[in-house]
Amino acid sequence: MLGIQNLELFIITGLLLNMAPGPDSLLVMSRSAGQGWKAGSAAALGIGSGTFIHVFAAALGLSALLAASATAFMLIKYLGAAYLLYIGISMLLGKGHESATHATPVLMPRSYGRLYLQGFLTNVLNPKVALFFLAFVPQFIAPDAEHKALAFVVLGCIFNFNGMLWCHLLAASTAFASRHIQASQRIARLLNRTIGALFVALGVKLALSK
């Protein structure tokens, strides 16, 4: 179909890659733990929208231009790194609020629209995601396929759908654990700052990547 090959292997590998820890997973977990599964879901939907941008850009060849242009890559890379640093530092400096039902501090309330935008920017400003699709997806398209761009989009949508399933499972499980594990305010604040430190580390790593 459309020249797609080894679809089962693509799905299994894609699921394993989606489950690997990264900025997207950390964002979903932090929002779900602090504000419930709906907040994590909003961030996840933003991440999925960002992934669609990368998929269609790669299918149209825009990601290839990004890979070929050192200036464009550096610009987007530094924007993405700065955004990850912004999220991390905000979490490190934030004091949170104590919930009325338990001692776990939560983040300042955000509209679901802002959480969606945060997920979108976290994903779409990471040029390594664009390069990942360029390197990974073509391996599962036959060289003689007539509609390579369409096959690329189909595979990208499958990858993104599986990623959304994982992110929403992560959101639900994190929110469930947050409700049922009565952590002290000190431990919860430490966890929040640990995740913030991880975002800072990911931002620095992205900024130094070549």
Side-chain angles (χ1 to χ4, degrees), residues 151-165:
F152 195 107
V153 170
V154 170
L155 288 173
C157 289
I158 293 173
F159 181 91
N160 198 18
F161 177 77
N162 291 334
M164 286 297 92
L165 288 179

Side-chain angles (χ1 to χ4, degrees), residues 163-205:
M164 286 297 92
L165 288 179
W166 167 248
C167 283
H168 280 84
L169 176 61
L170 197 61
S173 58
T174 303
F176 178 84
S178 178
R179 288 197 307 269
H180 290 81
I181 297 177
Q182 296 295 320
S184 68
Q185 185 176 359
R186 182 178 179 183
I187 293 176
R189 185 180 295 116
L190 177 62
L191 178 61
N192 198 54
R193 290 178 177 174
T194 299
I195 295 176
L198 289 174
F199 268 108
V200 171
L202 288 168
V204 172
K205 181 180 179 182

